[in-house]
Amino acid sequence: MVGGISIGSKGPHNQERRFEIAARAISGAIIRNMPLEDGGCGIPVLVEGVNDEKALKGLGFRGPIEKINKGWDTSRLVAYLHSNYSEIRPIDGGAPIILLMDWDRTGGRIQTSLRERLMAMDSPVDEALRNTLLRTMKPEGRTVESLLPHVPSLGPLVERLVSDME
């Protein structure tokens, strides 16, 4: 069940309904990612690369977006994320880092590796957005950057939901 709508393992077939479910998940992540009024940073979203960051910004993300492609090995990246974000205690009680790797095979491997390493350091991660997009947006593409062409359709839904949540 996602956003009050039951979806099977392959998600609903109706594109309008799938986009509504995706927009709910995206808007929830945007709220968590927003910079705080006191000047603090919101919850960072970790993506694979620059094009993923462009897609998220196109959808309305304004808080920190971290990329795994910094030229660092995984151990250094995990240490950086842990030292910079693990002490953040979000008001909503959720995890201090949103992991959003592509929903293809490689993205799944990266997601699993980062989740396991961060959780081994007692750094919980939020995977709800990826899990929802994996089920709802697969027909449109298997990557975060594949969301960019759908910003004209998803954007207004996301904006409305974000304004309702604020």
Side-chain angles (χ1 to χ4, degrees):
M1 174 101 40
V2 176
I5 298 172
S6 177
I7 60 176
S9 62
K10 295 183 181 179
H13 298 290
N14 179 312
Q15 185 182 50
E16 183 178 321
R17 198 157 169 210
R18 287 186 296 102
F19 276 29
E20 182 182 326
I21 295 167
R24 282 191 196 145
I26 292 166
S27 59
I30 287 172
I31 295 291
R32 296 197 75 226
N33 177 253
M34 281 183 180
L36 305 175
E37 291 178 11
D38 65 4
C41 73
I43 304 305
V45 180
L46 182 62
V47 295
E48 292 180 41
V50 175
N51 290 331
D52 296 342
E53 180 179 26
K54 287 178 187 174
L56 293 185
K57 287 186 175 186
L59 287 166
F61 284 82
R62 300 290 173 252
I65 298 173
E66 295 284 351
K67 296 171 285 307
I68 65 168
N69 293 330
K70 293 178 177 281
W72 297 351
D73 65 14
T74 304
S75 296
R76 182 175 177 193
L77 175 66
V78 168
Y80 166 80
L81 294 169
H82 178 71
S83 66
N84 286 291
Y85 299 112
S86 289
E87 295 304 313
I88 296 173
R89 293 294 167 229
I91 294 171
D92 64 5
I97 299 171
I98 298 170
L99 284 184
L100 183 59
M101 300 302 112
D102 294 341
W103 38 99
D104 58 8
R105 186 182 316 244
T106 302
R109 283 190 205 129
I110 296 168
Q111 183 91 7
T112 299
S113 173
L114 291 171
R115 174 192 339 108
E116 288 173 357
R117 288 173 179 239
L118 285 164
M119 292 186 74
M121 298 177 77
D122 292 327
S123 296
V125 296
D126 180 346
E127 299 181 274
L129 178 58
R130 180 180 187 268
N131 291 339
T132 299
L133 294 176
L134 182 140
R135 288 197 164 132
T136 59
M137 298 302 292
K138 220 174 205 178
E140 282 72 26
R142 296 175 183 258
T143 63
V144 175
E145 69 184 86
S146 68
L147 296 172
L148 197 53
H150 302 288
V151 168
S153 301
L154 283 169
L157 289 169
V158 169
E159 285 177 33
R160 179 177 49 81
L161 290 165
V162 168
S163 66
D164 289 349
M165 291 179 181
E166 290 181 309

